[in-house]
Amino acid sequence: MRTHISMPFMVTIILIFTLALVGCGGEAEETAPAETSSDSATSDSSSEESSSGQYEDGIYFAQEDGFSERTGWKYVVILEVDGGEIVSATWDGANTDGGTSKETRSRSGEYGMVENGGAIAPWFEQAEATEEYLLETQDPTDIEYTSDEGNTDAISGATIHVIEFFSLAEEALANGPAGYGMWQDGHYYAEEAEFSDNGWKYNVNLTVLGGRIVAANWNGVPEDGGNDKKTQSMEGEYGMVENGGAMAPWFEQANAAEAHLLEIQDPTAIEYSSDEGHTDAISGATIHVIEFFTLAEEALEGAAR
């Protein structure tokens, strides 16, 4: 039996089906914005986290290549970054004599800028003001100098030249985290117990900053009194070249041994080529150097980090 469906009834069915499709499409369109909003919030959060700090966390270190011929000082900068920001800054100096640091001498009055030079404040106070400025700006290049020597009017309480600090801070940050060295910071000293057969008794002074040996001084005192061995060598009184045909004066060869220790950082990491303590590891030194490295090892006993 054939069923007959009237035209109005079919139109009604088509209309209902069309409305159902439109309704489903409408629900899908309303859901999409909610997902987009959530994705956007996540993206914004990630962006904020990545821009929370501009530096990688860690300890940063930089030092000048050599000691000033005029003053005998070499500057050192140590920075700590936490949460992407510089949270501590240390500006200090080491002397060619291998003694205590510049900050230590300034605090003790040994480096008397105020008493002897009429400065507005001791060096360590002006250094602290300079360090604080970097903690505020977070950018070592954000400094304007007022002289070729590197003075600035931007730091209240600092009339010293500060270009050494900001240049080293920039260098340290560019190099990336370096961590601390293998030694505890401080001044270390050792000397031989007795005079040798040739009438000398050697001594060694070491300066450690940032865990690194940054200055070393090897010298000797004569049994009969008078100037130390380096002074005698520099003034020509100890004529190894003139009288013994040495390749260089004693003080130059001693300086080469000191520089080698600053490079290797470990006085036990030296190989000798003779029983007398000569070595082929140091260019420019043919003297026996075992006394220097033995005393350096003795001075650093118990100083490992």
Side-chain angles (χ1 to χ4, degrees):
M1 172 177 163
R2 181 178 296 177
T3 303
H4 175 74
I5 301 175
S6 65
M7 183 63 67
F9 181 74
M10 290 185 66
V11 171
T12 300
I13 293 175
I14 294 172
L15 180 60
I16 293 172
F17 182 73
T18 303
L19 289 174
L21 289 176
V22 172
C24 292
E27 289 176 0
E29 290 174 0
E30 290 175 1
T31 305
E35 293 177 357
T36 303
S37 175
S38 175
D39 292 344
S40 176
T42 303
S43 176
D44 290 344
S45 174
S46 300
S47 177
E48 289 175 4
E49 290 175 2
S50 63
S51 62
S52 61
Q54 56 179 320
Y55 306 115
E56 182 182 352
D57 288 2
I59 302 298
Y60 294 73
F61 177 89
Q63 63 179 317
E64 290 182 309
D65 292 334
F67 297 90
S68 168
E69 293 184 2
R70 183 178 64 86
T71 66
W73 289 102
K74 176 177 71 173
Y75 287 111
V76 175
V77 166
I78 306 160
L79 306 175
E80 180 181 0
V81 173
D82 187 25
E85 296 185 352
I86 304 170
V87 295
S88 72
T90 300
W91 181 20
D92 211 338
N95 197 275
T96 53
D97 62 15
T100 55
S101 72
K102 193 167 189 175
E103 179 187 349
T104 301
R105 298 188 198 191
S106 178
R107 289 183 181 277
S108 69
E110 185 180 351
Y111 189 79
M113 279 178 49
V114 176
E115 302 84 354
N116 303 325
I120 65 169
W123 185 86
F124 79 91
E125 290 185 6
Q126 299 195 49
E128 287 178 346
T130 305
E131 295 161 357
E132 284 296 325
Y133 184 84
L134 177 60
L135 298 185
E136 292 175 8
T137 64
Q138 292 290 308
D139 183 358
T141 66
D142 186 12
I143 183 73
E144 292 186 3
Y145 301 110
T146 56
S147 72
D148 295 336
E149 292 75 26
N151 301 88
T152 185
D153 293 333
I155 305 174
S156 176
T159 58
I160 58 176
H161 43 89
V162 297
I163 190 171
E164 298 91 345
F165 170 71
F166 289 103
S167 296
L168 286 174
E170 183 179 1
E171 179 184 333
L173 291 170
N175 291 338
Y180 284 108
M182 61 190 297
W183 309 108
Q184 299 177 46
D185 287 5
H187 167 232
Y188 298 89
Y189 175 82
E191 65 177 22
E192 291 180 317
E194 299 177 352
F195 290 94
S196 64
D197 293 339
N198 59 14
W200 290 102
K201 181 165 68 173
Y202 288 113
N203 61 72
V204 166
N205 280 277
L206 305 174
T207 310
V208 176
L209 293 172
R212 296 165 176 81
I213 304 171
V214 293
N217 184 39
W218 177 24
N219 210 340
V221 295
E223 189 172 10
D224 57 2
N227 291 329
D228 60 78
K229 193 165 188 175
K230 268 192 174 175
T231 301
Q232 288 193 28
S233 177
M234 288 187 286
E235 294 181 353
E237 297 177 37
Y238 190 77
M240 281 177 49
V241 177
E242 302 84 353
N243 303 325
M247 61 174 292
W250 186 86
F251 80 92
E252 289 186 5
Q253 299 196 48
N255 290 345
E258 296 161 357
H260 188 73
L261 177 59
L262 266 58
E263 181 181 344
I264 63 175
Q265 289 293 305
D266 183 356
T268 66
I270 183 76
E271 293 186 4
Y272 301 109
S273 56
S274 72
D275 294 337
E276 292 76 24
H278 299 85
T279 183
D280 295 329
I282 304 173
S283 176
T286 57
I287 58 175
H288 44 87
V289 296
I290 191 171
E291 299 89 346
F292 170 64
F293 289 99
T294 300
L295 285 173
E297 181 182 359
E298 180 182 329
L300 291 168
E301 185 177 357
R305 291 183 62 86

